[in-house]
Amino acid sequence: MMRPNITILYGSETGTAQDIAEQIWKRSKRYGLKSTVDAMDDYDIGRLENDNVILAVVSTAGQGDMPMNMKNFWRFLLRKSLPNNLLSHLKYSVLGLGDSSFEKFNFAAKKLNKRLGQLGATEIVPIGLADDQHDLGIDAVFGTWLDGVFNEIAQRYGIPKENIITENEIIQKFNINILENEKILTDPKKDIYLYEAQTNELLIPSQVIKNIRTTTPDHFQDVRLIKFKVPEINYSPGDVLYIKAKNSDEQVDKFFKVLKNNGVDIDQDVVLRIEEKEIKVPLVLQQKLSLKQIAQQYWDLNVKPKRSVLHTLSMISDNELEKEKLLEFTTAEGQEELYNYINRPRRNIIEVLNDFPHTTAKLNLKLLFEIMTPIKPRAYSIASSLKHTKNELHLLVAVTTYKTKLVEPRFGLCSTWLATLKPEDEVVFWTVKGTFKFDYTKPMIIVGPGTGISPFRSLLLDKAAVDGDLSSCLLFFGCRNEKHDYHCKEDFEILVEKHKLKLFCAFSRDQPDKMYVQHIIKQQKQLCWDFLQKDGNIYLAGSCKNMPNAVREEFVNVAKDCGGMNDEEAENYIRNLEKSWKYQVETW
């Protein structure tokens, strides 16, 4: 039987789906199969008539939306003129990458899976629904799904076990070439994505104007309002910025120190040319770069290594104890121990390499490109309005730090880096449409505790600049202390005084009993009901933990207390607001 060509497609806002797609590609190579990897919108639709196996990895954007790099592909599949048997020759399977804390969990993957079936394609194995909330993250579903897919392919197409490449052979994506006697003449810290921005109009170069701490120095959390100068930029309230961070000098030094201490002879100043071997080289790596630049700006030194990384390390290890432990982490039986070793303490790649010194000693330049993970872009709601501050973009960023059982505190890569930015520092980012659909003609009930206020600062500054009147806007803001973490206080006081914004604050620690936004909503339930009776909309943003459900429950109570509804009627009332986009939520 003729062996199939495997087409591996991915759709993702952050790049996680691409990483997974490349792992699928490696598995296909072990089965001796020809395969390609493409973002869905880079895929030649004309190939659909001839391709016989498609494996798709899809993350969900926003509120159940398709990610940016698969929207054209999805539009094609939705054409009403397509016959129901268009894909009757095609075998497929879909892996969804989602987060079960969101109501529309893995919606994009589910919709793609259903549509391929409607067009006559045959499912190889049932859709895999990976969940970031699982203790083991994506790996909890991915491994089982991947094994199922290729076991089924091997059976259907008669691929004998003896033809499968041994797991001890490492398959490399790129050719890595050392450019002898060359040096990087530019500033080594210069943003390497400026090169990509020359050809990719979506990437926006900018300069930092100000980096202001909005919390007092004695407050436990560092929150920053960062202002960027961006000539000729275009965005709207509710839009989102994506940005790739850089590792700190300290992290980069630790990385190379671990390599050096374990006998890995690699010059961090060596200049590299990376060329395609099996997979397309990302545009940012198609320039001459030093290894140090790659370590600082391309590889995530803070990442928790996935099971596939530990598997690769096990293949190169010749130390019996280390090899045994690494292999154990890759087995189904070893997943609880893997969770306790990696996920619970959030152990990063540098610490893992340090824990396995004999295995680390076997690394070389080419192998680093197989075990290191690219930095994923982080998303932040834009906190400014072009009508208020022309040619500027502002972010409100909480710097993430926390402790685990490890000695060194854990930190958020991107937020920590953003906090270090200084005026005139250059950064590259891009913006995408957010999920909020604001209606300036209707009354607004706005709930934005903490940095959840970001998109609403943008909204209110914008609306104030448009019509000057915010009397139809009701804002509930919450933080711990009025004196310590009342973000952008001056802005909101001006909006109250000059533009008639109705503002109610919950300072949770300023009184003996904790006071949260849902408690203030309860206090103002009649005002909220009056807004809703005037065809008002509800907008909420913030942490996805307890707050959104607590606020929703309070609005159900508003419908009962002020609208005279019973439990079922009130629940249906709020549910109908959600279905009609009159109750919109954005959480993280």
Side-chain angles (χ1 to χ4, degrees), residues 460-493:
L460 294 168
L461 290 174
D462 196 78
K463 183 169 168 55
V466 170
D467 56 30
D469 183 13
L470 298 179
S471 59
S472 62
C473 298
L474 175 57
L475 172 63
F476 294 98
F477 171 74
C479 63
R480 286 185 170 230
N481 309 102
E482 182 177 9
K483 293 182 178 179
H484 296 306
D485 58 337
Y486 187 170
H487 313 306
C488 308
K489 177 181 179 181
E490 295 80 7
D491 293 320
F492 295 116
E493 287 179 341

Side-chain angles (χ1 to χ4, degrees), residues 334-353:
Q335 292 314 287
E336 183 176 350
E337 191 162 352
L338 174 63
Y339 172 74
N340 289 330
Y341 174 65
I342 294 283
N343 296 65
R344 188 184 294 279
R346 302 187 70 84
R347 205 174 241 104
N348 65 39
I349 182 65
I350 299 175
E351 292 162 334
V352 169
L353 293 178

Side-chain angles (χ1 to χ4, degrees), residues 478-482 485 505-517:
C479 63
R480 286 185 170 230
N481 309 102
E482 182 177 9
D485 58 337
C505 296
F507 303 115
S508 63
R509 305 304 198 274
D510 280 353
Q511 60 283 312
D513 295 326
K514 292 179 182 177
M515 182 77 70
Y516 296 117
V517 284

